[in-house]
């Protein structure tokens, strides 16, 4: 399907990055093995302390409890540089926002935003998309969706790459991507549009409108998940699904090769401390199923996927995922947290940089068979029958 250049859309976007268009290709396939696991968790409390266990809960599906590490020799060399970008650089473009310490942040929204909206962050967003799609078996979603959906909503669309690919997948559907800033490209499928809005405000899309609502990695963004689920339920058509995904840095290993005193674990604690202090607890995904039940959703399903910290697994697909996660950690997310460490926790910037240098050295060690739980891929149905 040809893309259209939406220069005069209602959101008033400036000129987009044509280089980003090649990333919007449909990746969905029908059959690919995954390392998904069903999980059951106790109700979470506040952010755990470093003296408490940060390991992820054990999955009930024992078939894929552990990942087999690969074997290699020290002089084998690294096939790919650990700092190599897996996505092409995004050409600079003027985007609305506020600049602070060399990074650009959204100026719109009910609350101060802790994730930037600049080219570097959009590059991270696209890298994450490829990683999660590969993790889900080259699927854009795992919940039941009609073969001919008419309207799809992507919450926190970011660079818009998921929305672009799902619009390609369902050319008859009207796809809407919503975010706080106009960081999406102009050259998009004709059935896709982007809107600027804060999804914590009252939704104006009306009742019973969408065949599918998607949200992924709304990290440090949502303060009231029950309200978000309530609004999504109102906007969904009867019998339609909401799917959410989040990775929670409860770093773990199956063979105890993750040292308890590692700097890598300490960076996870920093994330939990920051998110709890600003009221967007990083532990909230553990409560999603409870919130969905309380809001009256049906057919609630929760799955867990293990994201290797680096390319240590023997399995080639998991090795690729581990390489993407290593790049994401070393070159992406912890640089983002530098702002929050100073502004939210009042931490010492020098200590943070030393800590990050130690953590980056740790995560390249393929003898450390650690993984991050992308544990909370949750989907649920609005009661009723889909038309």
């Amino acid at each position: 399907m040809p893309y259209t250049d939406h220069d005069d859309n209602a959101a008033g976007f400036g000129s987009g990055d044509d280089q980003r268009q090649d990333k919007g290709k449909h990746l969905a396939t029908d059959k690919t093995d995954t390392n998904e696991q069903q999980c059951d968790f106790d109700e979470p409390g506040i952010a755990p302390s470093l003296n408490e266990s940060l390991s992820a809960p054990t999955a009930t599906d024992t078939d894929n409890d552990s990942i087999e590490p690969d074997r290699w020799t020290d002089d084998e060399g690294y096939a790919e540089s650990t700092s190599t970008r897996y996505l092409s650089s995004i050409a600079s473009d003027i985007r609305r926002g506020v600049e602070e310490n060399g990074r650009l942040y959204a100026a719109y929204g009910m609350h101060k935003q802790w994730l930037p909206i600049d080219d570097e962050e959009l590059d991270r967003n696209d890298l994450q998309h490829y990683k999660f799609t590969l993790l889900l078996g080259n699927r854009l979603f795992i919940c039941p969706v009609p073969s001919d959906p008419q309207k799809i909503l992507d919450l926190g669309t970011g660079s818009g790459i998921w929305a672009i690919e799902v619009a390609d997948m369902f050319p008859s559907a009207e796809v809407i991507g919503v975010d706080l800033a106009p960081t999406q490209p102009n050259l998009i499928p004709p059935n896709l549009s982007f809107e600027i809005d804060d999804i914590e405000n009252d939704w104006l899309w009306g009742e019973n409108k969408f065949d599918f609502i998607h949200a992924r990695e709304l990290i440090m963004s949502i303060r009231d998940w029950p309200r978000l689920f309530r609004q999504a339920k109102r906007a969904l058509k009867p019998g339609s699904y909401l799917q959410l995904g989040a990775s929670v840095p409860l770093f773990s290993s199956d063979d105890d090769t993750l040292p308890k005193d590692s700097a890598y674990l300490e960076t996870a604690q920093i994330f939990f401390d920051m998110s709890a202090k600003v009221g967007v607890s990083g532990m909230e995904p553990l409560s999603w199923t409870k919130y969905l039940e309380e809001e009256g959703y049906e057919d609630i399903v929760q799955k867990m996927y293990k994201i290797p910290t680096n390319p240590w697994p023997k399995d080639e697909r998991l090795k690729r995922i581990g390489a993407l996660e290593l790049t994401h950690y070393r070159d992406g997310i912890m640089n983002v947290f530098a702002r929050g460490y100073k502004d939210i926790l009042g931490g010492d910037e020098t200590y943070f940089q030393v800590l990050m240098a130690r953590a980056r050295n740790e995560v390249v060690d393929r003898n450390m068979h650690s993984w991050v739980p992308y544990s909370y891929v949750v989907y649920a149905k609005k009661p009723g029958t889909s038309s």
Side-chain angles (χ1 to χ4, degrees):
M1 171 178 297
Y3 287 0
T4 56
D5 192 346
H6 291 207
D7 282 333
D8 300 319
N9 57 41
F13 302 135
S15 61
D17 293 325
D18 291 346
Q19 295 181 24
R20 302 182 65 83
Q21 309 312 319
D22 290 338
K23 301 173 184 176
K25 306 300 181 185
H26 168 46
L27 298 176
T29 60
D30 292 328
K31 296 181 180 179
T32 304
D33 293 334
T34 69
N35 63 328
E36 66 189 34
Q37 302 176 338
Q38 299 286 349
C39 294
D40 238 341
F41 299 100
D42 295 328
E43 182 177 346
I46 59 174
S49 70
L50 285 174
N51 295 324
E52 299 173 0
S53 171
L54 278 177
S55 60
T58 303
T60 57
D61 181 355
T62 58
D63 289 343
N64 295 309
D65 273 347
S66 62
I67 303 172
E68 182 181 359
D70 198 6
R71 297 180 182 274
W72 69 93
T73 59
D74 290 340
D75 59 353
E76 178 182 325
Y78 223 126
E80 298 174 89
S81 170
T82 57
S83 61
T84 298
R85 288 285 179 171
Y86 284 82
L87 307 173
S88 59
S89 298
I90 304 170
S92 296
D93 190 16
I94 298 174
R95 298 183 173 94
R96 286 172 283 182
V98 292
E99 188 173 349
E100 182 178 322
N101 297 326
R103 302 301 300 268
L104 191 66
Y105 296 85
Y108 176 70
M110 295 172 61
H111 307 284
K112 184 174 183 177
Q113 301 303 306
W114 298 104
L115 292 183
I117 59 170
D118 50 22
D119 291 344
E120 186 177 350
E121 173 62 11
L122 297 179
D123 198 18
R124 185 187 75 85
N125 185 265
D126 284 356
L127 181 147
Q128 286 286 82
H129 170 76
Y130 288 119
K131 182 181 73 178
F132 293 140
T133 303
L134 185 60
L135 194 68
L136 297 182
N138 285 345
R139 290 176 290 181
L140 297 176
F141 51 86
I142 60 172
C143 70
V145 173
S147 58
D148 58 344
Q150 300 303 302
K151 202 162 187 176
I152 297 173
L153 177 64
D154 185 29
L155 304 174
T157 195
S159 69
I161 189 168
W162 185 92
I164 289 171
E165 293 188 5
V166 85
D168 279 341
M169 185 178 185
F170 299 113
S172 63
E174 176 189 354
V175 180
I176 299 173
V178 60
D179 211 301
L180 290 172
T183 57
Q184 303 79 32
N186 277 356
L187 192 60
I188 58 176
N191 58 324
L192 171 63
S193 62
F194 294 114
E195 299 180 5
I196 301 175
D197 204 351
D198 187 337
I199 58 175
E200 291 200 290
N201 285 330
D202 291 337
W203 291 14
L204 304 177
W205 291 296
E207 296 186 46
N208 306 320
K209 296 295 184 181
F210 294 100
D211 298 283
F212 178 31
I213 297 179
H214 173 265
R216 183 178 65 188
E217 290 292 277
L218 297 178
I219 184 173
M220 296 187 74
S221 297
I222 305 301
R223 287 160 174 76
D224 191 344
W225 284 101
R227 183 171 185 268
L228 183 77
F229 294 160
R230 196 174 308 128
Q231 296 209 82
K233 182 183 172 187
R234 178 176 178 269
L236 281 168
K237 294 177 182 177
S240 296
Y241 282 83
L242 165 70
Q243 178 177 310
L244 309 110
S247 48
V248 178
L250 291 168
F251 304 144
S252 185
S253 65
D254 298 320
D255 55 5
D256 296 323
T257 54
L258 174 61
K260 302 299 182 185
D261 61 348
S262 70
Y264 182 53
L265 277 176
E266 188 174 344
T267 61
Q269 184 64 54
I270 288 173
F271 165 75
F272 288 122
D273 289 345
M274 287 192 307
S275 61
K277 192 163 184 179
V278 298
V280 289
S281 172
M283 303 294 284
E284 280 291 83
L286 279 71
S287 298
W288 280 352
T289 57
K290 176 172 71 78
Y291 295 154
L292 290 165
E293 288 173 358
E294 292 173 349
E295 293 300 327
Y297 284 82
E298 299 177 346
D299 298 341
I300 301 170
V301 175
Q302 177 173 275
K303 293 182 179 291
M304 186 181 89
Y305 299 80
K306 295 179 180 180
I307 303 173
T309 303
N310 64 47
W312 62 260
K314 183 177 182 179
D315 179 83
E316 284 301 320
R317 183 179 62 88
L318 294 177
K319 187 185 294 292
R320 290 177 60 197
I321 292 170
L324 289 167
E325 173 59 22
L326 175 59
T327 301
H328 169 248
Y329 183 85
R330 293 190 68 196
D331 302 337
I333 192 62
M334 291 314 298
N335 291 328
V336 171
F337 287 163
R339 183 195 196 202
Y341 183 73
K342 180 185 70 172
D343 292 359
I344 299 174
L345 300 180
D348 180 78
E349 292 183 70
T350 301
Y351 174 79
F352 183 80
Q353 294 304 322
V354 172
L355 178 70
M356 282 308 306
R358 288 175 51 209
R360 289 187 178 107
N361 286 333
E362 290 173 355
V363 296
V364 300
D365 182 3
R366 287 192 282 178
N367 289 306
M368 188 175 78
H369 303 149
S370 54
W371 48 268
V372 185
Y374 186 58
S375 329
Y376 313 101
V377 180
V378 177
Y379 61 84
K381 184 180 76 171
K382 177 178 178 175
T385 303
S386 179
S387 59

